[in-house]
Amino acid sequence: MKKLNGIKLKHRKNTENSSTVDFPVPEKVTIPMSMTMGAPCQPLVKVGDTVAVGQKIGDTDAAFSAPVHSGVSGKVTAITDYRNVMGTVCKMIEIETDGLQTVSDEVKPPVVTDKESFVKAVRQSGACGLGGAGFPTHIKLNPKADIDTLIINAAECEPYITADYREMMENPQDIINGINLVKSKLGIKTAKLAIEANKPEAIKNFTAMAENDDTIDIITLPSAYPQGAEKVIIYNSTGRIVNEGSLPADAGVIVMNVSTVAFLYRYMQTGMPLVTRRLTIDGNAVGEPKNVRTVIGTSFRELLEFCKADIDSIKKLIAGGPMMGMSVPDIDMPVVKTSNALLAFNHYDERKTSSCIRCGRCVRVCPLGLMPADIDRAYKIRNVEELKKLKVMLCMNCGSCTYVCPANRKLAETNQLAKALIPRK
């Protein structure tokens, strides 16, 4: 099987042996109505209402979306507009907590009898891809094509982030149970738990756990970025290629994040929807790097203070990893469903960009064989037909091209802007 291109990064997994610690319930949470791909939800509560833990507080009739629940009990004090890191605006519910953490009567294990009721329950859980993409899980688990392989993405290939790794070390049986749950409800024959080679302890543990189960394979991925990208992990786990414009389901595959599949198992047992997240808090401005579990809606500032960060020294704050994460413009922004890391750095140098020297490094590292420098030139003259020929829509924004460019050109960013020029079908 051909080896896909990639780059070697310093892992910087400083918190891999840091057990998850729970952040105390904050005095206030702010919960956006858009935290996944798809349509934003509309508030189901109004100012002055009391809410309980697990209560649904936002939903929509749109199919491509997922409902929003409260992770705290308390009183709704405001409903405002919220602009996220992508620049889009949605409603946001502010709740003052009462410290009681009263659980809603809505929280009860769902009744699941078949695939249809399973998918419906998954939607009610509010689940989405917890690796950062935020694709609604109930859509992913209801494909139109026949599926024969379930791939569990446990690569976590970005530097610093260890949130999924701690899930593997702290809740391994939930992961195995979640895999068997999805396999049985969707009639999938085989599952592959794909783990990057830099996590030998997890590979050892899961290999032992699956020793007598010939329906679950433990796959060791190369320790090279970006192993967690969907097209890359499908190819490296099965040898199958997802063609341009196609979905993994078209190749007979569903890919799920390892924390998502563990959450689904717990939801089916308890009925508690997605209201908390585990985040890795790290970076050289953080005094005590940790893996922290907190309710969705907690402010980044409070988490950073909890980890002894020097707030005034922070020059760069990133939600997610340093390769594909998003720069955070406001330290008071809240934890959302897709939050898996918060990285704070006390220095940031804006590198000077120079002309392309046609060294070809960007081509050699692109896992999909794209030509970022040519895409850059076609984008500048808005040549849509040339961008189509260059297959810009295949770009998964891994950032490898930008990382290796000696001229410091922002090639990955340009690829995303170029994709926006291609008319959608």
Side-chain angles (χ1 to χ4, degrees):
M1 192 165 68
K2 179 183 176 182
K3 181 182 177 183
L4 299 180
N5 295 330
I7 56 177
K8 296 288 186 181
L9 298 173
K10 292 183 178 178
H11 299 302
R12 303 185 192 278
K13 303 286 189 180
N14 307 315
T15 57
E16 63 180 354
N17 295 317
S18 300
S19 298
T20 306
V21 295
D22 289 313
F23 183 75
V25 177
E27 294 182 358
K28 181 184 76 174
V29 295
T30 51
I31 306 176
M33 292 292 99
S34 179
M35 295 188 279
T36 67
M37 288 186 186
C41 293
Q42 293 302 315
L44 300 177
V45 293
K46 61 183 184 300
V47 174
D49 285 355
T50 57
V51 298
V53 177
Q55 178 180 334
K56 186 161 65 174
I57 58 173
D59 205 347
T60 171
D61 292 332
F64 198 83
S65 186
V68 176
H69 305 79
S70 175
V72 299
S73 60
K75 180 178 288 187
V76 176
T77 52
I79 298 177
T80 58
D81 289 335
Y82 169 73
R83 186 181 298 278
N84 65 21
V85 293
M86 299 293 289
T88 58
V89 177
C90 67
K91 292 296 182 184
M92 180 167 71
I93 296 174
E94 178 183 299
I95 302 171
E96 278 188 7
T97 61
D98 58 16
L100 302 176
Q101 288 301 86
T102 306
V103 176
S104 169
D105 292 339
E106 297 174 9
V107 176
K108 58 185 69 173
V111 177
V112 174
T113 56
D114 54 15
K115 178 184 173 183
E116 183 179 358
S117 58
F118 175 64
V119 172
K120 183 178 179 181
V122 173
R123 186 189 186 282
Q124 288 303 313
S125 77
C128 65
L130 299 183
F135 194 94
T137 304
H138 68 98
I139 300 290
K140 180 172 286 190
L141 297 184
N142 194 24
K144 297 178 181 177
D146 292 332
I147 305 297
D148 60 31
T149 303
L150 171 67
I151 296 176
I152 303 302
N153 185 347
E156 201 166 54
C157 54
E158 284 237 30
Y160 293 99
I161 309 176
T162 60
D164 282 347
Y165 181 70
R166 292 315 307 173
E167 183 70 33
M168 288 189 275
M169 300 307 292
E170 295 172 19
N171 303 301
Q173 193 60 53
D174 288 356
I175 294 169
I176 294 295
N177 291 344
I179 292 171
N180 286 325
L181 171 73
V182 174
K183 281 201 297 125
S184 66
K185 298 305 178 188
L186 272 60
I188 300 174
K189 296 178 181 177
T190 301
K192 297 180 183 295
L193 177 55
I195 309 171
E196 194 173 342
N198 64 350
K199 303 172 184 64
E201 195 66 23
I203 293 170
K204 177 184 174 182
N205 291 347
F206 282 106
T207 298
M209 293 176 72
E211 185 178 10
N212 298 316
D213 187 344
D214 59 6
T215 69
I216 301 178
D217 295 333
I218 309 302
I219 304 292
T220 300
L221 300 169
S223 187
Y225 180 84
Q227 292 303 310
E230 205 166 55
K231 288 183 173 66
V232 174
I233 201 169
I234 290 173
Y235 183 79
N236 283 342
S237 299
T238 67
R240 300 178 191 178
I241 295 173
V242 179
N243 294 317
E244 183 182 11
S246 298
L247 297 171
D250 297 321
V253 174
I254 287 176
V255 181
M256 292 184 70
N257 169 267
V258 68
S259 292
T260 305
V261 79
F263 160 75
L264 271 191
Y265 171 72
R266 292 192 287 268
Y267 172 72
M268 295 298 168
Q269 305 307 304
T270 65
M272 181 58 73
L274 181 60
V275 294
T276 63
R277 280 302 332 251
R278 178 193 291 109
L279 292 86
T280 298
I281 314 295
D282 204 345
N284 61 11
V286 177
E288 296 180 4
K290 289 182 172 71
N291 284 297
V292 180
R293 179 169 41 236
T294 188
V295 292
I296 290 170
T298 305
S299 79
F300 288 157
R301 180 189 297 274
E302 288 182 277
L303 291 181
L304 289 165
E305 290 173 344
F306 183 66
C307 295
K308 311 297 183 188
D310 184 353
I311 302 294
D312 293 336
S313 75
I314 295 174
K315 297 292 190 295
K316 187 75 172 181
L317 186 60
I318 300 173
M323 297 299 290
M324 295 186 70
M326 301 295 291
S327 182
V328 178
D330 182 353
I331 197 172
D332 291 311
M333 295 181 84
V335 171
V336 296
K337 291 182 180 182
T338 53
S339 300
N340 61 355
L342 186 61
L343 307 180
F345 300 98
N346 58 21
H347 69 269
Y348 174 70
D349 297 324
E350 182 69 39
R351 295 179 180 177
K352 185 178 180 180
T353 299
S354 58
S355 299
C356 174
I357 59 174
R358 303 188 67 80
C359 64
R361 295 184 189 178
C362 55
V363 179
R364 289 195 292 275
V365 300
C366 179
L368 300 182
L370 300 181
M371 302 175 71
D374 287 358
I375 292 173
D376 187 42
R377 281 187 282 274
Y379 170 72
K380 285 180 177 175
I381 59 174
R382 303 297 192 267
N383 189 334
V384 173
E385 291 306 313
E386 185 65 14
L387 289 171
K388 290 180 181 177
K389 291 178 183 177
L390 292 167
K391 305 289 185 184
V392 67
M393 296 303 289
L394 281 172
C395 176
M396 51 195 177
N397 199 29
C398 68
S400 297
C401 50
T402 298
Y403 181 80
V404 300
C405 179
N408 298 320
R409 303 189 67 76
K410 298 178 179 178
L411 298 167
E413 292 179 23
T414 300
N415 286 355
Q416 299 314 300
L417 294 170
K419 288 165 74 173
L421 295 181
I422 308 292
R424 304 281 178 171
K425 294 181 179 178

